[in-house]
Amino acid sequence: MNWFIDCITKNYANFNGRARRKEYWMFVLFSVILAVLTIIIDKIIGNDLMIVTCILSLALLLPNLAVTVRRLHDTNKSGWWILLQFIPYVGGIIIFVLCMLDSTPGSNQYGENPKGMNYH
């Protein structure tokens, strides 16, 4: 949970540096859990427009982009690779695979390897 909170509070729109796999995937996990909860809330209150889910999606848009760009930096790829998501079918798979790759050992042009730093 701390990884998710850090992405929301400390790194809300931070596109600089690197994010290790754990930070990225914990953010994704808690985002999905929150999305499911908001969908349930929208269904319970009978909200066909899914307003609560839309608000959550908008609130998490920048942190999601930022953590994905930092994750790409960790694999020594430019953040511009995120634009591959606009390629139907294949783009999302490529980004998924890149986010699953291990960190580049040592430092790279985007900073020090976050695995060597003490986090939570």
Side-chain angles (χ1 to χ4, degrees):
M1 182 80 173
N2 289 337
W3 295 100
F4 179 79
I5 292 171
D6 284 350
C7 282
I8 298 297
T9 57
K10 296 177 185 173
N11 294 314
Y12 186 83
N14 179 13
F15 292 88
N16 298 318
R18 297 168 66 171
R20 56 190 294 196
R21 279 187 294 192
K22 187 173 186 175
E23 178 182 355
Y24 176 78
W25 288 110
M26 286 297 164
F27 179 82
V28 170
L29 173 67
F30 283 101
S31 294
V32 168
I33 291 170
L34 285 175
V36 169
L37 290 175
T38 58
I39 290 169
I40 292 170
I41 290 169
D42 278 330
K43 295 295 180 185
I44 288 173
I45 62 176
N47 190 352
D48 292 334
L49 296 177
M50 302 194 48
I51 301 286
V52 178
T53 305
C54 289
I55 291 170
L56 175 73
S57 297
L58 287 174
L60 293 180
L61 178 65
L62 271 178
N64 185 15
L65 290 173
V67 76
T68 304
V69 166
R70 289 194 321 262
R71 180 70 202 124
L72 290 170
H73 286 173
D74 195 41
T75 61
N76 208 21
K77 302 278 186 277
S78 168
W80 290 106
W81 280 67
I82 200 169
L83 295 176
L84 288 175
Q85 291 182 348
F86 289 114
I87 300 173
Y89 309 111
V90 179
I93 294 169
I94 293 170
I95 296 299
F96 178 77
V97 169
L98 289 175
C99 288
M100 291 187 66
L101 293 176
D102 198 8
S103 301
T104 303
S107 61
N108 65 19
Q109 63 183 340
Y110 303 105
E112 291 295 318
N113 189 342
K115 280 188 177 178
M117 300 176 184
N118 284 333
Y119 278 111
H120 313 284

